[in-house]
Amino acid sequence: MTLKDVSVSEILRPEDGGSSPGLAEAAQIRYLSPDDTVFTLTEGHMLNVKAGGKEHSGVYVHCSFPHTNKRIYLSIRTVENEEIGMIRSLDEFPEKTQRMLEEQVELRYFAPEISKVLSVKEEFGYSYWDAETTSGRCRFTVRGGGGSVKLMTANRLLIVDVDGNRFIIPHLDRLSDKEYKMVEVCM
C-alpha cells in the first residue's frame, strides 16, 4: 500500500473502531470566552478558573508570544501542564479579569529591562554583567554560547542568566557605542 492509497481519515484516526481520538481531535484548540469562563484568585494569589462548567484550581497562564505581545493567545493550563483552553485576546474579557491575568503573566514572565550596561567581562566561557535595570542595579552571570543571549527582534535582545532569570534590552540602538561593543561580544 502506498501513501496515496491511504485516506486522510485513516491517517488522522487510528484503525481501532474510532474509540481513540485522532490527531485532528487532539490538535483542536478550545477557545475560552467570558460567556463560559470565570477566573478567581485565592487569598494566596493562586489563579483558579471555571470553564465549561468544570472548576480547575491553581492554574497557570502561558503566553504564546511572551516577548512581543502578552495580551494574545494565552494558554490556561493545569499544574499537570494540560491545556484547559486558549484566550485569543485579553480584550475580550472584562477589565477586572484582564488585570488579574496580566498580573499572572507579569509574575511568570518577569524580565527587567536593562537601561544601562555598566560592564560585561568574559572569562572561561561565562560573561559577568553589571547593569542598571528597571528593577535596580543587577549583577548576573551568563553562560557563553548555547543561545543565552538571543535577538528577539532586530532591535530587542533577551539575556538569560545561569539561574534562568531573564533580562531584556528593549532597544539595542539606544545603547551607547561603548555599551553596544560590550554586548556585541556576547551575541
Side-chain angles (χ1 to χ4, degrees):
M1 175 166 43
T2 65
L3 186 57
K4 67 180 183 181
D5 297 328
V6 178
S7 72
V8 171
S9 62
E10 291 173 311
I11 294 171
L12 297 179
R13 179 171 291 287
E15 287 300 321
D16 63 358
S19 62
S20 296
L23 182 59
E25 283 109 9
Q28 288 182 351
I29 297 172
R30 178 175 190 267
Y31 287 101
L32 303 176
S33 74
D35 298 331
D36 69 347
T37 308
V38 177
F39 291 93
T40 57
L41 283 177
T42 67
E43 285 184 31
H45 291 279
M46 290 297 296
L47 187 66
N48 296 332
V49 65
K50 183 176 182 180
K54 189 172 179 184
E55 293 189 35
H56 303 273
S57 299
V59 300
Y60 297 94
V61 183
H62 294 256
C63 289
S64 297
F65 308 103
H67 301 291
T68 55
N69 191 338
K70 295 178 185 174
R71 295 186 56 80
I72 60 172
Y73 296 105
L74 304 173
S75 175
I76 308 302
R77 300 182 188 184
T78 65
V79 292
E80 293 85 19
N81 204 28
E82 294 175 12
E83 186 171 81
I84 297 164
M86 178 80 72
I87 295 174
R88 282 188 183 98
S89 173
L90 282 181
D91 296 334
E92 297 173 358
F93 284 81
E95 202 167 312
K96 180 181 177 186
T97 301
Q98 288 182 39
R99 284 193 308 271
M100 185 185 315
L101 293 173
E102 285 172 333
E103 180 181 296
Q104 294 294 313
V105 167
E106 288 305 314
L107 287 171
R108 179 170 188 79
Y109 295 97
F110 177 69
E113 291 186 357
I114 294 175
S115 54
K116 183 166 184 61
V117 179
L118 302 171
S119 70
V120 178
K121 296 177 183 167
E122 284 201 296
E123 190 174 279
F124 304 113
Y126 291 89
S127 57
Y128 301 89
W129 294 62
D130 187 2
E132 291 290 338
T133 74
T134 51
S135 295
R137 188 169 178 177
C138 290
R139 291 183 181 98
F140 54 94
T141 304
V142 177
R143 188 172 283 115
S148 296
V149 179
K150 302 176 192 173
L151 277 172
M152 302 309 293
T153 67
N155 199 31
R156 185 178 179 87
L157 193 67
L158 171 69
I159 302 149
V160 181
D161 76 3
V162 293
D163 296 318
N165 300 309
R166 296 177 293 262
F167 299 89
I168 302 284
I169 297 178
H171 304 284
L172 283 170
D173 60 347
R174 294 185 187 166
L175 295 176
S176 70
D177 289 341
K178 180 182 176 185
E179 289 174 301
Y180 188 85
K181 286 177 184 173
M182 287 188 282
V183 171
E184 187 178 34
V185 171
C186 300
M187 293 171 41

